Amino acid sequence: MNILLPTDFSENAFDAICHGIELFEDSTCVFYLMHAYTPAIYRVDYMLGSPGKVGLPDGHQQVAQTQLEEIRKNLVSKFKNPRHTFVTHAAFNNLVDEVQNTVKNENIDIVIMGTQGATGAKGIFLGSNTVHVLRKATVPVLIIPKKSKFRPLDHILFPTDFEIDYKLSGLDYLLNLAKQRKSKIHIMHVSSPYGLSKEQSSNKTILERIVATSNHYFYDEPDQEVIGAINNFQSQHDIQLLAMVHNKHTFLERLFVEPIIRNIGLRSLVPFLVLPYHPKS
């Protein structure tokens, strides 16, 4: 398994890295420790050619590579896991583009990152960099909230509105993770007073088939705001992971356009797994 771990060298980023390493402690993994940077002031020749060709007089690359190597040594010493290999990568690029490049070039299976960096505002659920990565991700992205502590993955909450074709989602990744960690998947749907449409019923049937061999349970919650239902469910059950499929037509998109906690109501410190959706073109 190839796992991308972007870092801005903040404590929050390091905690997210450690969380990912613990989550996949029983898997053979290559972890790519990546830092993308854009110097605040840089020469005009950066704009005219490849930074790799003109050199980096500001020393950003050397400094970043040194810091990445220190993190690598720290992780090897801290976890001592023979199944895990670490590769460091510093790039003169913006974070979103470099994540996309690395995902493609290194055949990445999942991206794991924190919600905020060293300068993150306290009221923000998802920082702007995280949101941009999620919007363009073609593989699952696991977001680790600030100060979230790793716990065994026993229970996963999967809220859904049955509005997507689950054959086109990244649901296989969630099912494999649940099987590996022996987790139970709680599939939650907020009922509408009008019931399910024909398309929703069809999608639900497909979902039931897909999860048939997994440890799962379906819940129909009373009609209410979805975000409130998620919070209520998490307060009543010991959930260690919140998982959703990112589709612009579903309620998840509201998490990206309304990122303030007081607006969306998400109060949990539970890690947040966003699965990609690949609609037919």
Coordinates of all heavy atoms in Angstrom, one line a residue, residues 18-64:
C18 N 1.4 10.3 12.5 CA 1.4 9.2 13.5 C 0.1 8.4 13.5 O 0.1 7.2 13.6 CB 1.7 9.8 14.9 SG 3.4 10.5 15.0
H19 N -1.0 9.1 13.4 CA -2.3 8.5 13.4 C -2.4 7.5 12.2 O -2.9 6.4 12.3 CB -3.4 9.5 13.2 CG -4.8 9.1 13.6 ND1 -5.5 9.5 14.7 CD2 -5.6 8.1 13.0 CE1 -6.6 8.9 14.8 NE2 -6.7 8.1 13.8
G20 N -2.0 8.0 11.0 CA -2.0 7.1 9.8 C -1.1 5.9 10.0 O -1.5 4.8 9.6
I21 N 0.1 6.1 10.6 CA 1.0 4.9 10.8 C 0.4 3.9 11.7 O 0.5 2.7 11.5 CB 2.3 5.5 11.3 CG1 3.0 6.3 10.2 CG2 3.2 4.3 11.8 CD1 4.3 7.0 10.7
E22 N -0.3 4.4 12.8 CA -0.9 3.4 13.7 C -2.1 2.7 13.1 O -2.3 1.5 13.3 CB -1.3 4.2 15.0 CG -0.2 4.7 15.8 CD -0.7 5.3 17.2 OE1 -0.9 4.5 18.1 OE2 -0.9 6.5 17.2
L23 N -2.8 3.4 12.3 CA -4.0 2.8 11.6 C -3.6 1.7 10.7 O -4.3 0.7 10.6 CB -4.8 3.9 10.8 CG -6.0 3.4 10.1 CD1 -7.1 2.9 11.0 CD2 -6.6 4.6 9.2
F24 N -2.5 1.8 10.1 CA -2.0 0.8 9.1 C -0.8 0.0 9.7 O 0.1 -0.4 8.9 CB -1.7 1.4 7.8 CG -2.9 2.0 7.1 CD1 -3.1 3.3 7.1 CD2 -3.8 1.1 6.4 CE1 -4.3 3.9 6.5 CE2 -4.9 1.7 5.8 CZ -5.1 3.0 5.8
E25 N -0.8 -0.2 11.0 CA 0.4 -0.9 11.6 C 0.5 -2.3 11.2 O 1.6 -2.8 11.2 CB 0.2 -0.8 13.1 CG -1.0 -1.5 13.7 CD -1.2 -1.4 15.2 OE1 -0.2 -0.9 15.8 OE2 -2.2 -1.8 15.7
D26 N -0.6 -2.9 10.7 CA -0.5 -4.3 10.3 C -0.3 -4.5 8.8 O -0.4 -5.7 8.3 CB -1.7 -5.1 10.8 CG -1.8 -5.1 12.3 OD1 -0.7 -5.2 13.0 OD2 -2.9 -5.1 12.9
S27 N -0.2 -3.4 8.1 CA -0.1 -3.5 6.6 C 1.3 -3.2 6.2 O 2.0 -2.4 6.8 CB -1.1 -2.5 6.0 OG -2.4 -2.8 6.4
T28 N 1.7 -3.7 5.1 CA 3.0 -3.4 4.4 C 2.8 -2.1 3.6 O 2.0 -2.1 2.7 CB 3.5 -4.5 3.5 OG1 3.7 -5.7 4.3 CG2 4.8 -4.1 2.9
C29 N 3.5 -1.1 4.0 CA 3.2 0.3 3.4 C 4.5 1.0 3.1 O 5.5 0.8 3.7 CB 2.4 1.1 4.4 SG 0.9 0.5 5.0
V30 N 4.4 1.8 2.0 CA 5.4 2.8 1.7 C 4.7 4.2 2.0 O 3.7 4.5 1.4 CB 5.8 2.7 0.3 CG1 6.9 3.9 0.0 CG2 6.5 1.4 0.0
F31 N 5.2 4.9 3.0 CA 4.7 6.2 3.3 C 5.6 7.3 2.6 O 6.8 7.3 2.8 CB 4.8 6.4 4.8 CG 3.8 5.6 5.6 CD1 4.3 4.4 6.2 CD2 2.5 5.9 5.7 CE1 3.4 3.6 6.9 CE2 1.6 5.1 6.5 CZ 2.1 3.9 7.1
Y32 N 4.9 8.2 1.9 CA 5.6 9.3 1.2 C 5.4 10.5 2.0 O 4.3 11.1 2.1 CB 5.0 9.4 -0.2 CG 5.4 8.3 -1.1 CD1 4.7 7.1 -1.1 CD2 6.5 8.4 -2.0 CE1 5.0 6.1 -2.0 CE2 6.9 7.4 -2.8 CZ 6.1 6.2 -2.8 OH 6.5 5.2 -3.6
L33 N 6.4 10.9 2.7 CA 6.4 12.2 3.5 C 6.7 13.3 2.5 O 7.8 13.5 2.0 CB 7.5 12.1 4.6 CG 7.4 11.0 5.6 CD1 8.7 10.9 6.4 CD2 6.2 11.2 6.5
M34 N 5.7 14.2 2.3 CA 5.8 15.2 1.3 C 5.6 16.6 1.8 O 4.7 16.8 2.7 CB 4.7 14.9 0.2 CG 4.8 15.8 -1.0 SD 3.2 16.1 -1.8 CE 2.5 17.3 -0.8
H35 N 6.4 17.5 1.4 CA 6.3 18.9 1.7 C 6.3 19.7 0.4 O 7.3 19.6 -0.4 CB 7.4 19.4 2.6 CG 7.3 20.9 2.9 ND1 6.3 21.4 3.7 CD2 8.0 21.9 2.5 CE1 6.4 22.7 3.8 NE2 7.5 23.1 3.1
A36 N 5.3 20.5 0.2 CA 5.2 21.4 -1.0 C 5.4 22.8 -0.5 O 4.7 23.2 0.5 CB 3.9 21.2 -1.7
Y37 N 6.2 23.6 -1.2 CA 6.4 25.0 -0.7 C 6.5 25.9 -1.9 O 6.8 25.6 -3.0 CB 7.7 25.0 0.1 CG 8.9 24.6 -0.8 CD1 9.7 25.5 -1.5 CD2 9.3 23.2 -0.8 CE1 10.7 25.1 -2.3 CE2 10.3 22.8 -1.6 CZ 11.0 23.7 -2.4 OH 12.1 23.3 -3.1
T38 N 6.1 27.2 -1.6 CA 6.3 28.3 -2.5 C 6.8 29.4 -1.8 O 6.1 30.0 -0.9 CB 4.9 28.7 -3.2 OG1 4.3 27.5 -3.7 CG2 5.1 29.7 -4.2
P39 N 8.1 29.8 -2.0 CA 8.7 30.9 -1.2 C 7.9 32.2 -1.4 O 7.4 32.4 -2.5 CB 10.1 31.0 -1.9 CG 10.4 29.7 -2.5 CD 9.1 29.1 -2.9
A40 N 7.8 32.9 -0.3 CA 7.0 34.2 -0.4 C 7.5 35.1 -1.4 O 6.8 35.8 -2.1 CB 7.0 34.8 1.0
I41 N 8.9 35.2 -1.5 CA 9.5 36.0 -2.5 C 10.5 35.2 -3.3 O 11.3 34.5 -2.8 CB 10.3 37.2 -1.9 CG1 9.3 38.0 -1.0 CG2 11.0 38.0 -2.9 CD1 10.0 39.1 -0.3
Y42 N 10.3 35.1 -4.6 CA 11.2 34.3 -5.4 C 11.5 35.0 -6.7 O 10.8 35.9 -7.2 CB 10.7 32.9 -5.7 CG 9.2 32.8 -6.2 CD1 9.0 32.9 -7.5 CD2 8.2 32.7 -5.3 CE1 7.7 32.9 -8.0 CE2 6.9 32.7 -5.8 CZ 6.6 32.7 -7.1 OH 5.3 32.7 -7.6
R43 N 12.6 34.7 -7.3 CA 13.1 35.4 -8.5 C 12.2 35.1 -9.7 O 11.5 34.2 -9.8 CB 14.5 34.9 -8.9 CG 15.5 35.1 -7.7 CD 16.9 34.7 -8.1 NE 16.9 33.5 -9.0 CZ 18.1 32.9 -9.4 NH1 19.2 33.3 -8.9 NH2 18.0 31.9 -10.2
V44 N 12.3 36.1 -10.7 CA 11.5 36.0 -11.8 C 11.8 34.7 -12.7 O 10.9 34.2 -13.4 CB 11.6 37.2 -12.7 CG1 13.0 37.3 -13.3 CG2 10.5 37.3 -13.8
D45 N 13.0 34.2 -12.5 CA 13.4 33.0 -13.4 C 12.6 31.8 -12.9 O 12.5 30.8 -13.6 CB 14.9 32.7 -13.4 CG 15.5 32.7 -12.0 OD1 14.7 32.7 -11.0 OD2 16.7 32.6 -11.9
Y46 N 12.0 31.8 -11.7 CA 11.2 30.7 -11.3 C 9.9 30.7 -12.2 O 9.3 29.6 -12.4 CB 10.7 30.9 -9.8 CG 11.8 30.6 -8.8 CD1 11.5 30.8 -7.4 CD2 13.1 30.2 -9.1 CE1 12.5 30.6 -6.5 CE2 14.0 30.0 -8.2 CZ 13.7 30.2 -6.9 OH 14.7 30.0 -5.9
M47 N 9.5 31.9 -12.6 CA 8.3 32.0 -13.4 C 8.5 31.6 -14.8 O 7.6 31.2 -15.5 CB 7.7 33.4 -13.3 CG 7.4 33.9 -11.9 SD 6.0 33.1 -11.2 CE 4.7 33.7 -12.2
L48 N 9.8 31.7 -15.2 CA 10.1 31.5 -16.6 C 10.6 30.1 -16.9 O 10.6 29.6 -18.1 CB 11.2 32.5 -17.1 CG 10.8 33.9 -16.9 CD1 12.0 34.8 -17.3 CD2 9.6 34.3 -17.8
G49 N 11.0 29.3 -15.9 CA 11.6 28.0 -16.1 C 11.3 27.1 -14.9 O 10.7 27.5 -14.0
S50 N 11.9 25.9 -15.0 CA 11.7 24.9 -13.9 C 12.6 25.3 -12.8 O 13.8 25.5 -13.0 CB 12.1 23.5 -14.4 OG 12.2 22.7 -13.3
P51 N 12.1 25.4 -11.6 CA 12.9 25.7 -10.4 C 14.0 24.7 -10.3 O 15.1 25.0 -9.8 CB 11.9 25.5 -9.2 CG 10.6 25.8 -9.8 CD 10.7 25.2 -11.2
G52 N 13.8 23.4 -10.7 CA 14.9 22.4 -10.6 C 16.1 22.8 -11.5 O 17.2 22.4 -11.2
K53 N 15.8 23.5 -12.6 CA 16.9 23.9 -13.5 C 17.6 25.2 -13.1 O 18.8 25.3 -13.3 CB 16.3 24.1 -14.9 CG 15.8 22.8 -15.5 CD 15.2 23.0 -16.9 CE 14.6 21.7 -17.5 NZ 14.0 21.9 -18.8
V54 N 16.9 26.1 -12.5 CA 17.5 27.4 -12.2 C 18.1 27.4 -10.8 O 18.8 28.3 -10.4 CB 16.5 28.6 -12.3 CG1 15.9 28.6 -13.7 CG2 15.4 28.4 -11.3
G55 N 17.8 26.4 -10.0 CA 18.3 26.3 -8.7 C 17.4 27.1 -7.7 O 16.5 27.9 -8.1
L56 N 17.6 26.9 -6.4 CA 16.9 27.5 -5.4 C 17.8 28.3 -4.4 O 18.2 27.8 -3.4 CB 16.0 26.5 -4.6 CG 14.9 25.8 -5.4 CD1 14.3 24.7 -4.6 CD2 13.9 26.8 -5.8
P57 N 18.1 29.5 -4.8 CA 19.1 30.3 -4.0 C 18.5 30.5 -2.6 O 19.3 30.8 -1.7 CB 19.2 31.6 -4.7 CG 18.0 31.7 -5.6 CD 17.6 30.3 -5.9
D58 N 17.2 30.5 -2.4 CA 16.7 30.8 -1.0 C 16.9 29.6 -0.1 O 16.6 29.6 1.1 CB 15.2 31.1 -1.1 CG 14.4 30.2 -2.0 OD1 14.8 29.0 -2.0 OD2 13.4 30.6 -2.6
G59 N 17.3 28.4 -0.6 CA 17.6 27.3 0.3 C 16.3 26.5 0.8 O 16.4 25.6 1.6
H60 N 15.2 26.9 0.2 CA 13.9 26.2 0.7 C 14.0 24.7 0.5 O 13.6 24.0 1.4 CB 12.7 26.8 0.0 CG 12.2 28.0 0.5 ND1 12.7 29.2 0.4 CD2 11.0 28.2 1.3 CE1 12.0 30.1 1.0 NE2 11.0 29.6 1.6
Q61 N 14.5 24.2 -0.6 CA 14.4 22.8 -0.9 C 15.4 22.1 0.1 O 15.0 21.0 0.7 CB 14.9 22.5 -2.3 CG 14.7 21.0 -2.6 CD 15.0 20.7 -4.1 OE1 15.8 21.4 -4.7 NE2 14.3 19.8 -4.6
Q62 N 16.5 22.6 0.3 CA 17.5 22.0 1.2 C 16.9 21.9 2.7 O 17.0 20.9 3.3 CB 18.8 22.7 1.2 CG 19.9 22.0 2.1 CD 21.2 22.7 2.0 OE1 21.4 23.6 1.1 NE2 22.2 22.3 2.8
V63 N 16.4 23.0 3.1 CA 15.8 23.1 4.5 C 14.7 22.1 4.6 O 14.6 21.4 5.6 CB 15.3 24.5 4.8 CG1 14.5 24.6 6.1 CG2 16.5 25.5 4.9
A64 N 13.8 22.1 3.6 CA 12.6 21.2 3.6 C 13.1 19.7 3.6 O 12.5 18.9 4.4 CB 11.7 21.5 2.4

